Each structure stands twice: as structure tokens, then as C-alpha cells.
Amino acid sequence: MDQKNKNSKKPVYSKFSQQELPAWKPILTPGWVIASYITIGALFIPIGLLAWTASDSVVEIVDRYDEACVPDDFSKNPQSYIQNPNIKKTCTRSIKVPKKLVAPIFVYYQLENFYQNHRRFVKSRSDKQLRDVKAENDTKFCLPIAYDYDNKPIVPCGLIAWSLFNDTYKISTRGKDISIEKKGIAWKSDAKAKFGSNVYPKNFQKDGLIGGATLDESIPLSEQEDLMVWMRTAALPTFRKLYGKINTDIEAHDTIKVEIQNNYNTYKFGGRKKLVLSTTTWIGGKNDFVGMAYISVGGICLFMAINFILLYVFRPRRLGDPSYLSWNRHPIT
């Protein structure tokens, strides 16, 4: 008998293995379901309306300039224009302000059809090199932008840094220049942990094919905020990155003059460039999706609650009635 019990495959009894632990097993009665739907709807719809109102109050100006800033003589071949160092790239745009822009006004550049999320592009960097001065030779993932013609390491290395955005903007209104603040545009965690305060650019954009902006070799990477913003690669081919902040109001119906240095080559791959000026609210920048999502979910919940109420009133049935089981409704004869 003992041998038989020893060879038995019957598991040892426990409340855990037999799923007999104490548990809350609510019964979803019609009252609970209807009340839950009404509560969710009553909460979500006001939140959605608040978010939508906040988003609607954001003033956002978007100006595409990549095509307009190419001279007519080069309209059919913009690459020859952008790649010619002897041609001035200055372009002036006039933008009408529809509503008052209340400080702080955030200045973004928007790129479209630029795949920063491409695997080879994302991997082409050295995080060790960016934060540690002793790791300047750690360039194994940076190819083809790893060493210069004298076989000296490039700091920062890799395709991401090499392609640093280099268009510049100068903004004025009513004949007065408006200062664009470049401090505080990067994440504080990046400046403290990801970019070294004792790491300085070396051999960057010195020879060969120039990809984008140059870097001041007297300023450590932890203070190069344009670089830090650019190095946070975007997940989608259309993205915005912060260029700077304006700390003065711009009145409604004013005309903004923007002097653009159109240096960045997006013509090679059919990319588009836009300048974006935007205010913010408690929800952030302009984003109608959040408000719409809350209102939609709340509306669906209220609709479901009304349906359940009508079913409960006009076609009631006793809770747990076994006569509604399929094998009782259609018995086998």
C-alpha cells in the first residue's frame, strides 16, 4: 500500500494548487454594470472636454520653408543649391500671428520623411565616449563615422552626431530682434548622466563629407544642448525637436520675420522642413487626440449604459436563471 502511494502521480493537496485560496469573486449584476459604465462616462467626458479646451487654446504656427527657400533657378535641382558652398543660404520668411503668443514660446524644427529610427542609424553612436573622456577610442559601433583621415577618433562619433541639424533661425518683429534662448532645451538627466562635463569635441566635421552642424571644441558635450536634443532619436519619420525658447510675448496680428540659414540637406531623400512656434498649457502642446480619446471612451460607456438600462427595463430576466442556458433552451430530443 505504501509503495502504491509512493508511485502515485496524484499531486499533494494544497489550497494554492487547488485554487481554493480566499478571493473576491464579484457577481456582475445589471446594476453594477450600469453604474460602472455611467461612472466612467461621467468622469471621462469632463476630463476630455477640459483637455480638448486646453489643446484648443494653444497657439501653434507651422511654416514649411524647404521649398520656398530654394531659388527659382534651382527649383528643379535643389541638391545642387544646397551642396554648393559658394551660394548664400539665407532665406527670409514673413509669418502672420493669428493670436497672441504668450511666453514661453517654444521654437521647434520639424522634419518629415527622416527615419531616425533606422537600425543602422540608431546604433551608430558610442554612449561610453559621450560620457567618459577616457573612452574616446570606443568607436566600434560608430562606423563609418569613427576616425578621421589621420586615423584619430572623432568625438562625438557616429551617424547621429554627424547628421546634426544645422539650420538656424533669427526672429524679429516690429523692427526688433527677438532673442531665442538656447539654454534648458535638453533633458537635465542627459546633461548630468549621458554627456560628460570633461568630454570635448575632437576632429568633428573636420574633413571628408560634412553631414551637418559643427561643434565648438572649447565647450564640453554636457553644455552642447543642440547636440543632446538631436541625439534623442525619434521613433517616427515625422518629428519635432526643440530649437529654443522665446521669453517675450508676441502680439496678435503682428508680422514675424524669420531669417533662416537653409543649410540642412533634406532634398536628397525627399524630406521636408518646417519651423514651428507654439505656446503651451497644462496639457502641454497642441494635442487634440487626448481630449478626443477621453470623450470617445466616455461617450461609448454612456451609450452602453443606456442600452443595458433599456434591456433591463424591457427584457428583464432573473439573475442566474438556468433556463437561458443553450442546452436548456434547445434540448436534444
Side-chain angles (χ1 to χ4, degrees), residues 26-69:
I27 298 174
L28 296 178
T29 62
W32 272 104
V33 173
I34 292 169
S36 299
Y37 275 128
I38 291 174
T39 302
I40 294 172
L43 288 174
F44 274 46
I45 290 176
I47 293 172
L49 290 173
L50 285 172
W52 199 0
T53 303
S55 176
D56 192 55
S57 65
V58 172
V59 182
E60 183 179 274
I61 301 172
V62 181
D63 180 60
R64 180 181 176 183
Y65 64 88
D66 56 287
E67 290 182 340
C69 286

mmCIF file of all heavy atoms in Angstrom, residues 26-69:
data_model
loop_
_atom_site.group_PDB
_atom_site.id
_atom_site.type_symbol
_atom_site.label_atom_id
_atom_site.label_comp_id
_atom_site.label_asym_id
_atom_site.label_seq_id
_atom_site.Cartn_x
_atom_site.Cartn_y
_atom_site.Cartn_z
ATOM 1 N N PRO A 26 -16.558 38.938 -7.572
ATOM 2 C CA PRO A 26 -17.773 39.757 -7.697
ATOM 3 C C PRO A 26 -18.730 39.189 -8.736
ATOM 4 O O PRO A 26 -18.315 38.629 -9.758
ATOM 5 C CB PRO A 26 -17.231 41.115 -8.137
ATOM 6 C CG PRO A 26 -15.965 40.799 -8.848
ATOM 7 C CD PRO A 26 -15.387 39.611 -8.124
ATOM 8 N N ILE A 27 -19.990 39.335 -8.468
ATOM 9 C CA ILE A 27 -21.025 38.956 -9.426
ATOM 10 C C ILE A 27 -21.471 40.230 -10.132
ATOM 11 O O ILE A 27 -21.959 41.172 -9.499
ATOM 12 C CB ILE A 27 -22.212 38.279 -8.723
ATOM 13 C CG1 ILE A 27 -21.747 36.996 -8.032
ATOM 14 C CG2 ILE A 27 -23.326 37.979 -9.717
ATOM 15 C CD1 ILE A 27 -22.816 36.325 -7.197
ATOM 16 N N LEU A 28 -21.274 40.270 -11.423
ATOM 17 C CA LEU A 28 -21.600 41.482 -12.191
ATOM 18 C C LEU A 28 -23.102 41.514 -12.461
ATOM 19 O O LEU A 28 -23.574 41.064 -13.510
ATOM 20 C CB LEU A 28 -20.789 41.520 -13.484
ATOM 21 C CG LEU A 28 -19.261 41.617 -13.302
ATOM 22 C CD1 LEU A 28 -18.567 41.592 -14.655
ATOM 23 C CD2 LEU A 28 -18.881 42.882 -12.546
ATOM 24 N N THR A 29 -23.805 42.068 -11.547
ATOM 25 C CA THR A 29 -25.249 42.233 -11.720
ATOM 26 C C THR A 29 -25.514 43.380 -12.672
ATOM 27 O O THR A 29 -24.637 44.234 -12.891
ATOM 28 C CB THR A 29 -25.917 42.519 -10.372
ATOM 29 O OG1 THR A 29 -25.402 43.752 -9.856
ATOM 30 C CG2 THR A 29 -25.649 41.399 -9.378
ATOM 31 N N PRO A 30 -26.689 43.467 -13.269
ATOM 32 C CA PRO A 30 -27.006 44.594 -14.152
ATOM 33 C C PRO A 30 -26.804 45.949 -13.484
ATOM 34 O O PRO A 30 -26.330 46.899 -14.115
ATOM 35 C CB PRO A 30 -28.473 44.350 -14.517
ATOM 36 C CG PRO A 30 -28.648 42.872 -14.395
ATOM 37 C CD PRO A 30 -27.763 42.446 -13.270
ATOM 38 N N GLY A 31 -27.123 46.039 -12.220
ATOM 39 C CA GLY A 31 -26.950 47.308 -11.509
ATOM 40 C C GLY A 31 -25.504 47.743 -11.446
ATOM 41 O O GLY A 31 -25.188 48.923 -11.685
ATOM 42 N N TRP A 32 -24.600 46.773 -11.116
ATOM 43 C CA TRP A 32 -23.175 47.085 -11.059
ATOM 44 C C TRP A 32 -22.640 47.496 -12.430
ATOM 45 O O TRP A 32 -21.871 48.449 -12.552
ATOM 46 C CB TRP A 32 -22.403 45.874 -10.546
ATOM 47 C CG TRP A 32 -22.277 45.817 -9.057
ATOM 48 C CD1 TRP A 32 -22.969 45.007 -8.207
ATOM 49 C CD2 TRP A 32 -21.421 46.618 -8.255
ATOM 50 N NE1 TRP A 32 -22.593 45.241 -6.906
ATOM 51 C CE2 TRP A 32 -21.630 46.236 -6.897
ATOM 52 C CE3 TRP A 32 -20.500 47.629 -8.527
ATOM 53 C CZ2 TRP A 32 -20.972 46.828 -5.840
ATOM 54 C CZ3 TRP A 32 -19.828 48.217 -7.467
ATOM 55 C CH2 TRP A 32 -20.062 47.814 -6.147
ATOM 56 N N VAL A 33 -23.006 46.794 -13.455
ATOM 57 C CA VAL A 33 -22.508 47.093 -14.806
ATOM 58 C C VAL A 33 -22.975 48.470 -15.257
ATOM 59 O O VAL A 33 -22.187 49.286 -15.764
ATOM 60 C CB VAL A 33 -22.965 46.004 -15.794
ATOM 61 C CG1 VAL A 33 -22.607 46.399 -17.226
ATOM 62 C CG2 VAL A 33 -22.333 44.666 -15.452
ATOM 63 N N ILE A 34 -24.252 48.753 -15.070
ATOM 64 C CA ILE A 34 -24.801 50.052 -15.490
ATOM 65 C C ILE A 34 -24.139 51.183 -14.706
ATOM 66 O O ILE A 34 -23.736 52.216 -15.280
ATOM 67 C CB ILE A 34 -26.328 50.061 -15.311
ATOM 68 C CG1 ILE A 34 -26.981 49.102 -16.313
ATOM 69 C CG2 ILE A 34 -26.892 51.474 -15.495
ATOM 70 C CD1 ILE A 34 -28.454 48.834 -16.039
ATOM 71 N N ALA A 35 -23.998 50.995 -13.382
ATOM 72 C CA ALA A 35 -23.381 52.034 -12.553
ATOM 73 C C ALA A 35 -21.924 52.269 -12.952
ATOM 74 O O ALA A 35 -21.455 53.415 -12.975
ATOM 75 C CB ALA A 35 -23.466 51.632 -11.082
ATOM 76 N N SER A 36 -21.197 51.188 -13.279
ATOM 77 C CA SER A 36 -19.790 51.324 -13.686
ATOM 78 C C SER A 36 -19.667 52.112 -14.981
ATOM 79 O O SER A 36 -18.831 53.023 -15.096
ATOM 80 C CB SER A 36 -19.160 49.937 -13.858
ATOM 81 O OG SER A 36 -19.180 49.220 -12.654
ATOM 82 N N TYR A 37 -20.503 51.780 -15.958
ATOM 83 C CA TYR A 37 -20.463 52.497 -17.236
ATOM 84 C C TYR A 37 -20.810 53.974 -17.046
ATOM 85 O O TYR A 37 -20.165 54.863 -17.628
ATOM 86 C CB TYR A 37 -21.416 51.858 -18.234
ATOM 87 C CG TYR A 37 -20.826 50.689 -18.992
ATOM 88 C CD1 TYR A 37 -21.475 49.458 -19.052
ATOM 89 C CD2 TYR A 37 -19.616 50.820 -19.662
ATOM 90 C CE1 TYR A 37 -20.945 48.381 -19.751
ATOM 91 C CE2 TYR A 37 -19.070 49.761 -20.364
ATOM 92 C CZ TYR A 37 -19.733 48.546 -20.401
ATOM 93 O OH TYR A 37 -19.181 47.497 -21.099
ATOM 94 N N ILE A 38 -21.820 54.260 -16.258
ATOM 95 C CA ILE A 38 -22.216 55.660 -16.023
ATOM 96 C C ILE A 38 -21.102 56.425 -15.311
ATOM 97 O O ILE A 38 -20.797 57.578 -15.655
ATOM 98 C CB ILE A 38 -23.531 55.717 -15.210
ATOM 99 C CG1 ILE A 38 -24.692 55.211 -16.064
ATOM 100 C CG2 ILE A 38 -23.813 57.138 -14.729
ATOM 101 C CD1 ILE A 38 -26.008 55.100 -15.313
ATOM 102 N N THR A 39 -20.450 55.786 -14.341
ATOM 103 C CA THR A 39 -19.359 56.450 -13.614
ATOM 104 C C THR A 39 -18.193 56.782 -14.534
ATOM 105 O O THR A 39 -17.653 57.893 -14.506
ATOM 106 C CB THR A 39 -18.870 55.548 -12.459
ATOM 107 O OG1 THR A 39 -19.971 55.260 -11.593
ATOM 108 C CG2 THR A 39 -17.759 56.230 -11.676
ATOM 109 N N ILE A 40 -17.804 55.797 -15.357
ATOM 110 C CA ILE A 40 -16.692 56.038 -16.292
ATOM 111 C C ILE A 40 -17.048 57.162 -17.269
ATOM 112 O O ILE A 40 -16.245 58.059 -17.538
ATOM 113 C CB ILE A 40 -16.343 54.746 -17.052
ATOM 114 C CG1 ILE A 40 -15.796 53.698 -16.079
ATOM 115 C CG2 ILE A 40 -15.320 55.026 -18.159
ATOM 116 C CD1 ILE A 40 -15.610 52.330 -16.697
ATOM 117 N N GLY A 41 -18.265 57.113 -17.804
ATOM 118 C CA GLY A 41 -18.688 58.162 -18.729
ATOM 119 C C GLY A 41 -18.726 59.524 -18.075
ATOM 120 O O GLY A 41 -18.287 60.529 -18.654
ATOM 121 N N ALA A 42 -19.235 59.591 -16.828
ATOM 122 C CA ALA A 42 -19.332 60.871 -16.124
ATOM 123 C C ALA A 42 -17.962 61.447 -15.788
ATOM 124 O O ALA A 42 -17.806 62.670 -15.685
ATOM 125 C CB ALA A 42 -20.150 60.685 -14.841
ATOM 126 N N LEU A 43 -16.953 60.586 -15.619
ATOM 127 C CA LEU A 43 -15.601 61.066 -15.339
ATOM 128 C C LEU A 43 -14.843 61.423 -16.614
ATOM 129 O O LEU A 43 -14.169 62.455 -16.693
ATOM 130 C CB LEU A 43 -14.822 59.996 -14.557
ATOM 131 C CG LEU A 43 -15.216 59.780 -13.096
ATOM 132 C CD1 LEU A 43 -14.461 58.600 -12.521
ATOM 133 C CD2 LEU A 43 -14.942 61.026 -12.271
ATOM 134 N N PHE A 44 -14.920 60.553 -17.619
ATOM 135 C CA PHE A 44 -14.104 60.722 -18.823
ATOM 136 C C PHE A 44 -14.543 61.904 -19.680
ATOM 137 O O PHE A 44 -13.690 62.602 -20.236
ATOM 138 C CB PHE A 44 -14.118 59.424 -19.645
ATOM 139 C CG PHE A 44 -13.084 58.428 -19.214
ATOM 140 C CD1 PHE A 44 -12.902 58.134 -17.880
ATOM 141 C CD2 PHE A 44 -12.282 57.788 -20.145
ATOM 142 C CE1 PHE A 44 -11.945 57.216 -17.478
ATOM 143 C CE2 PHE A 44 -11.321 56.877 -19.753
ATOM 144 C CZ PHE A 44 -11.153 56.583 -18.413
ATOM 145 N N ILE A 45 -15.840 62.110 -19.815
ATOM 146 C CA ILE A 45 -16.299 63.191 -20.708
ATOM 147 C C ILE A 45 -15.856 64.570 -20.207
ATOM 148 O O ILE A 45 -15.311 65.362 -20.993
ATOM 149 C CB ILE A 45 -17.820 63.112 -20.907
ATOM 150 C CG1 ILE A 45 -18.165 61.884 -21.764
ATOM 151 C CG2 ILE A 45 -18.350 64.376 -21.578
ATOM 152 C CD1 ILE A 45 -19.645 61.646 -21.962
ATOM 153 N N PRO A 46 -16.011 64.923 -18.916
ATOM 154 C CA PRO A 46 -15.494 66.226 -18.464
ATOM 155 C C PRO A 46 -13.981 66.363 -18.609
ATOM 156 O O PRO A 46 -13.487 67.420 -18.998
ATOM 157 C CB PRO A 46 -15.922 66.276 -16.995
ATOM 158 C CG PRO A 46 -17.068 65.353 -16.891
ATOM 159 C CD PRO A 46 -16.783 64.246 -17.865
ATOM 160 N N ILE A 47 -13.247 65.262 -18.294
ATOM 161 C CA ILE A 47 -11.793 65.320 -18.463
ATOM 162 C C ILE A 47 -11.438 65.556 -19.932
ATOM 163 O O ILE A 47 -10.541 66.348 -20.256
ATOM 164 C CB ILE A 47 -11.143 64.014 -17.946
ATOM 165 C CG1 ILE A 47 -11.310 63.893 -16.433
ATOM 166 C CG2 ILE A 47 -9.663 63.955 -18.323
ATOM 167 C CD1 ILE A 47 -10.861 62.559 -15.868
ATOM 168 N N GLY A 48 -12.134 64.866 -20.828
ATOM 169 C CA GLY A 48 -11.886 65.059 -22.263
ATOM 170 C C GLY A 48 -12.185 66.470 -22.716
ATOM 171 O O GLY A 48 -11.437 67.046 -23.517
ATOM 172 N N LEU A 49 -13.280 67.049 -22.217
ATOM 173 C CA LEU A 49 -13.624 68.425 -22.590
ATOM 174 C C LEU A 49 -12.577 69.408 -22.077
ATOM 175 O O LEU A 49 -12.206 70.353 -22.782
ATOM 176 C CB LEU A 49 -15.003 68.781 -22.036
ATOM 177 C CG LEU A 49 -16.192 68.078 -22.703
ATOM 178 C CD1 LEU A 49 -17.484 68.372 -21.948
ATOM 179 C CD2 LEU A 49 -16.326 68.510 -24.163
ATOM 180 N N LEU A 50 -12.082 69.188 -20.861
ATOM 181 C CA LEU A 50 -11.028 70.059 -20.325
ATOM 182 C C LEU A 50 -9.751 69.945 -21.161
ATOM 183 O O LEU A 50 -9.123 70.959 -21.495
ATOM 184 C CB LEU A 50 -10.732 69.683 -18.867
ATOM 185 C CG LEU A 50 -11.760 70.117 -17.818
ATOM 186 C CD1 LEU A 50 -11.420 69.511 -16.466
ATOM 187 C CD2 LEU A 50 -11.812 71.633 -17.714
ATOM 188 N N ALA A 51 -9.369 68.707 -21.498
ATOM 189 C CA ALA A 51 -8.152 68.507 -22.293
ATOM 190 C C ALA A 51 -8.302 69.107 -23.681
ATOM 191 O O ALA A 51 -7.366 69.717 -24.215
ATOM 192 C CB ALA A 51 -7.838 67.013 -22.388
ATOM 193 N N TRP A 52 -9.470 68.933 -24.280
ATOM 194 C CA TRP A 52 -9.711 69.484 -25.623
ATOM 195 C C TRP A 52 -9.692 71.004 -25.601
ATOM 196 O O TRP A 52 -9.121 71.653 -26.483
ATOM 197 C CB TRP A 52 -11.056 68.967 -26.134
ATOM 198 C CG TRP A 52 -11.207 69.075 -27.627
ATOM 199 C CD1 TRP A 52 -10.309 69.567 -28.523
ATOM 200 C CD2 TRP A 52 -12.331 68.662 -28.400
ATOM 201 N NE1 TRP A 52 -10.785 69.494 -29.805
ATOM 202 C CE2 TRP A 52 -12.029 68.937 -29.753
ATOM 203 C CE3 TRP A 52 -13.556 68.077 -28.079
ATOM 204 C CZ2 TRP A 52 -12.931 68.670 -30.789
ATOM 205 C CZ3 TRP A 52 -14.439 67.803 -29.113
ATOM 206 C CH2 TRP A 52 -14.138 68.097 -30.445
ATOM 207 N N THR A 53 -10.301 71.597 -24.557
ATOM 208 C CA THR A 53 -10.300 73.056 -24.426
ATOM 209 C C THR A 53 -8.881 73.585 -24.250
ATOM 210 O O THR A 53 -8.501 74.603 -24.849
ATOM 211 C CB THR A 53 -11.178 73.483 -23.236
ATOM 212 O OG1 THR A 53 -12.504 72.981 -23.418
ATOM 213 C CG2 THR A 53 -11.230 74.995 -23.117
ATOM 214 N N ALA A 54 -8.100 72.894 -23.413
ATOM 215 C CA ALA A 54 -6.716 73.316 -23.197
ATOM 216 C C ALA A 54 -5.906 73.230 -24.490
ATOM 217 O O ALA A 54 -5.119 74.125 -24.815
ATOM 218 C CB ALA A 54 -6.073 72.460 -22.115
ATOM 219 N N SER A 55 -6.102 72.142 -25.232
ATOM 220 C CA SER A 55 -5.384 71.984 -26.501
ATOM 221 C C SER A 55 -5.806 73.049 -27.505
ATOM 222 O O SER A 55 -4.974 73.572 -28.259
ATOM 223 C CB SER A 55 -5.641 70.589 -27.071
ATOM 224 O OG SER A 55 -5.029 70.435 -28.331
ATOM 225 N N ASP A 56 -7.086 73.370 -27.520
ATOM 226 C CA ASP A 56 -7.594 74.361 -28.458
ATOM 227 C C ASP A 56 -7.057 75.759 -28.161
ATOM 228 O O ASP A 56 -6.972 76.603 -29.058
ATOM 229 C CB ASP A 56 -9.122 74.363 -28.422
ATOM 230 C CG ASP A 56 -9.729 75.160 -29.578
ATOM 231 O OD1 ASP A 56 -9.397 74.851 -30.750
ATOM 232 O OD2 ASP A 56 -10.516 76.089 -29.315
ATOM 233 N N SER A 57 -6.696 76.014 -26.892
ATOM 234 C CA SER A 57 -6.193 77.336 -26.524
ATOM 235 C C SER A 57 -4.710 77.511 -26.862
ATOM 236 O O SER A 57 -4.173 78.615 -26.755
ATOM 237 C CB SER A 57 -6.407 77.589 -25.029
ATOM 238 O OG SER A 57 -5.638 76.690 -24.252
ATOM 239 N N VAL A 58 -4.049 76.416 -27.251
ATOM 240 C CA VAL A 58 -2.642 76.505 -27.661
ATOM 241 C C VAL A 58 -2.562 77.201 -29.024
ATOM 242 O O VAL A 58 -3.302 76.863 -29.950
ATOM 243 C CB VAL A 58 -2.005 75.104 -27.740
ATOM 244 C CG1 VAL A 58 -0.612 75.177 -28.358
ATOM 245 C CG2 VAL A 58 -1.939 74.477 -26.366
ATOM 246 N N VAL A 59 -1.679 78.170 -29.125
ATOM 247 C CA VAL A 59 -1.452 78.855 -30.406
ATOM 248 C C VAL A 59 -0.235 78.220 -31.063
ATOM 249 O O VAL A 59 0.860 78.207 -30.478
ATOM 250 C CB VAL A 59 -1.232 80.367 -30.206
ATOM 251 C CG1 VAL A 59 -1.051 81.058 -31.561
ATOM 252 C CG2 VAL A 59 -2.393 80.986 -29.441
ATOM 253 N N GLU A 60 -0.430 77.672 -32.237
ATOM 254 C CA GLU A 60 0.649 76.983 -32.947
ATOM 255 C C GLU A 60 0.739 77.502 -34.375
ATOM 256 O O GLU A 60 -0.252 77.565 -35.090
ATOM 257 C CB GLU A 60 0.395 75.476 -32.937
ATOM 258 C CG GLU A 60 1.502 74.665 -33.579
ATOM 259 C CD GLU A 60 1.233 73.168 -33.520
ATOM 260 O OE1 GLU A 60 1.579 72.556 -32.492
ATOM 261 O OE2 GLU A 60 0.652 72.627 -34.481
ATOM 262 N N ILE A 61 1.936 77.885 -34.761
ATOM 263 C CA ILE A 61 2.199 78.378 -36.125
ATOM 264 C C ILE A 61 3.203 77.434 -36.772
ATOM 265 O O ILE A 61 4.279 77.188 -36.216
ATOM 266 C CB ILE A 61 2.751 79.815 -36.108
ATOM 267 C CG1 ILE A 61 1.750 80.764 -35.430
ATOM 268 C CG2 ILE A 61 3.059 80.291 -37.523
ATOM 269 C CD1 ILE A 61 2.299 82.165 -35.200
ATOM 270 N N VAL A 62 2.847 76.902 -37.924
ATOM 271 C CA VAL A 62 3.719 75.975 -38.652
ATOM 272 C C VAL A 62 4.002 76.555 -40.029
ATOM 273 O O VAL A 62 3.072 76.910 -40.760
ATOM 274 C CB VAL A 62 3.065 74.573 -38.785
ATOM 275 C CG1 VAL A 62 3.998 73.627 -39.517
ATOM 276 C CG2 VAL A 62 2.686 74.014 -37.416
ATOM 277 N N ASP A 63 5.270 76.669 -40.376
ATOM 278 C CA ASP A 63 5.655 77.229 -41.675
ATOM 279 C C ASP A 63 6.657 76.309 -42.353
ATOM 280 O O ASP A 63 7.773 76.110 -41.848
ATOM 281 C CB ASP A 63 6.263 78.629 -41.485
ATOM 282 C CG ASP A 63 6.688 79.245 -42.809
ATOM 283 O OD1 ASP A 63 5.823 79.415 -43.688
ATOM 284 O OD2 ASP A 63 7.891 79.560 -42.969
ATOM 285 N N ARG A 64 6.249 75.739 -43.487
ATOM 286 C CA ARG A 64 7.175 74.924 -44.265
ATOM 287 C C ARG A 64 8.020 75.836 -45.148
ATOM 288 O O ARG A 64 7.497 76.692 -45.863
ATOM 289 C CB ARG A 64 6.408 73.928 -45.135
ATOM 290 C CG ARG A 64 7.329 73.040 -45.962
ATOM 291 C CD ARG A 64 6.572 72.063 -46.837
ATOM 292 N NE ARG A 64 7.487 71.315 -47.681
ATOM 293 C CZ ARG A 64 7.116 70.423 -48.600
ATOM 294 N NH1 ARG A 64 5.832 70.152 -48.766
ATOM 295 N NH2 ARG A 64 8.023 69.796 -49.335
ATOM 296 N N TYR A 65 9.349 75.638 -45.106
ATOM 297 C CA TYR A 65 10.226 76.566 -45.816
ATOM 298 C C TYR A 65 11.226 75.886 -46.752
ATOM 299 O O TYR A 65 11.958 76.572 -47.467
ATOM 300 C CB TYR A 65 10.991 77.437 -44.814
ATOM 301 C CG TYR A 65 11.943 76.684 -43.912
ATOM 302 C CD1 TYR A 65 13.259 76.426 -44.294
ATOM 303 C CD2 TYR A 65 11.533 76.241 -42.662
ATOM 304 C CE1 TYR A 65 14.135 75.749 -43.460
ATOM 305 C CE2 TYR A 65 12.401 75.553 -41.821
ATOM 306 C CZ TYR A 65 13.698 75.315 -42.220
ATOM 307 O OH TYR A 65 14.557 74.642 -41.393
ATOM 308 N N ASP A 66 11.279 74.561 -46.770
ATOM 309 C CA ASP A 66 12.332 73.903 -47.563
ATOM 310 C C ASP A 66 12.208 74.205 -49.056
ATOM 311 O O ASP A 66 13.201 74.409 -49.746
ATOM 312 C CB ASP A 66 12.313 72.392 -47.306
ATOM 313 C CG ASP A 66 10.970 71.768 -47.595
ATOM 314 O OD1 ASP A 66 10.033 71.976 -46.811
ATOM 315 O OD2 ASP A 66 10.840 71.078 -48.617
ATOM 316 N N GLU A 67 10.971 74.241 -49.571
ATOM 317 C CA GLU A 67 10.785 74.540 -50.991
ATOM 318 C C GLU A 67 10.872 76.037 -51.265
ATOM 319 O O GLU A 67 11.473 76.465 -52.251
ATOM 320 C CB GLU A 67 9.435 74.006 -51.455
ATOM 321 C CG GLU A 67 9.352 72.490 -51.524
ATOM 322 C CD GLU A 67 8.002 72.015 -52.038
ATOM 323 O OE1 GLU A 67 7.034 72.805 -51.983
ATOM 324 O OE2 GLU A 67 7.914 70.859 -52.495
ATOM 325 N N ALA A 68 10.275 76.837 -50.368
ATOM 326 C CA ALA A 68 10.241 78.289 -50.586
ATOM 327 C C ALA A 68 11.632 78.910 -50.501
ATOM 328 O O ALA A 68 11.865 79.982 -51.094
ATOM 329 C CB ALA A 68 9.310 78.940 -49.562
ATOM 330 N N CYS A 69 12.556 78.270 -49.793
ATOM 331 C CA CYS A 69 13.896 78.836 -49.614
ATOM 332 C C CYS A 69 14.889 78.387 -50.681
ATOM 333 O O CYS A 69 16.094 78.630 -50.553
ATOM 334 C CB CYS A 69 14.419 78.478 -48.230
ATOM 335 S SG CYS A 69 13.630 79.425 -46.901
#
